[in-house]
Each structure stands twice: as structure tokens, then as C-alpha cells.
Amino acid sequence: MKRQFWPSTFLILGLCVAPTAFADADAEREALAKIIHELNALELLIKRAEANAEQDSRIRFRYDWLRQDLKNIKDGIQSHIDSPRAQPRSFPPLRGDYRR
């Protein structure tokens, strides 16, 4: 009897996990579109920070690099929304370090 108990236990556990494993593709696209929207909203904050930056500072933040990295992220997300594929895609690495 114990041997029959294990398969049914795994089946029940599998059914509990299954809803998260099979997420709705439309819900994913909607969430990714919201991320793009939020990234676009960052542009105003970036402009404000850039306007307040000290021009004579020895070490300056590279806003142009930040904008390029955000564009790469948005382009990658949009590419996934437009044409989801089973194969992984490669994108250029993010700069990540915004000081010079």
C-alpha cells in the first residue's frame, strides 16, 4: 500500500505547482508591456538627474550609457513580446558601470 501512496502524493504536489509552471502567455506579455512603460517613465527622472549633475565633477555619471542600456533592455523585452521563441537569444551585455 505504501508504494501506491507515493505516486499519488507526487501527482497532488505536481498539480499544486502546475499553475505557476504554465503561466498565461497573455498575462506575461501584459506584465512585460508594463515593464516597458515603467522604463519609459524613468526618462523624466534621468533628465532631472542629468540637469542637476555637477558639470565640473571629476567623476561624472554617464547618462548616455544608462540610456543605451535601458534601450537594450526595452528592445529585448519588446522582441520577446513581438515574437516569443523557444530558442534563447543573445543580446549585447549591459555596461553596468556608469562612472567615468
Side-chain angles (χ1 to χ4, degrees):
M1 244 189 205
K2 285 187 178 186
R3 289 185 183 199
Q4 292 176 349
F5 176 73
W6 285 106
S8 61
T9 302
F10 288 122
L11 177 63
I12 291 170
L13 288 174
L15 291 174
C16 292
V17 175
T20 59
F22 299 107
D24 184 11
D26 290 334
E28 179 190 29
R29 285 189 187 101
E30 183 179 326
L32 290 172
K34 286 180 183 180
I35 291 171
I36 290 175
H37 176 74
E38 294 296 323
L39 291 172
N40 288 333
L42 289 175
E43 182 58 34
L44 180 61
L45 296 173
I46 293 169
K47 284 181 183 179
R48 284 184 193 163
E50 187 174 26
N52 292 320
E54 280 189 44
Q55 298 303 320
D56 298 335
S57 178
R58 186 176 69 82
I59 297 174
R60 286 185 270 172
F61 191 86
R62 294 298 307 257
Y63 292 95
D64 54 333
W65 293 352
L66 174 61
R67 283 187 181 98
Q68 186 59 47
D69 282 350
L70 290 175
K71 181 184 180 313
N72 288 341
I73 292 168
K74 288 188 289 188
D75 289 349
I77 292 170
Q78 191 63 53
S79 174
H80 179 76
I81 290 171
D82 293 343
S83 60
R85 298 181 185 127
Q87 296 295 325
R89 297 177 306 269
S90 64
F91 294 96
L94 299 179
R95 190 174 308 267
D97 182 9
Y98 304 106
R99 295 178 58 165
R100 105 179 136 146

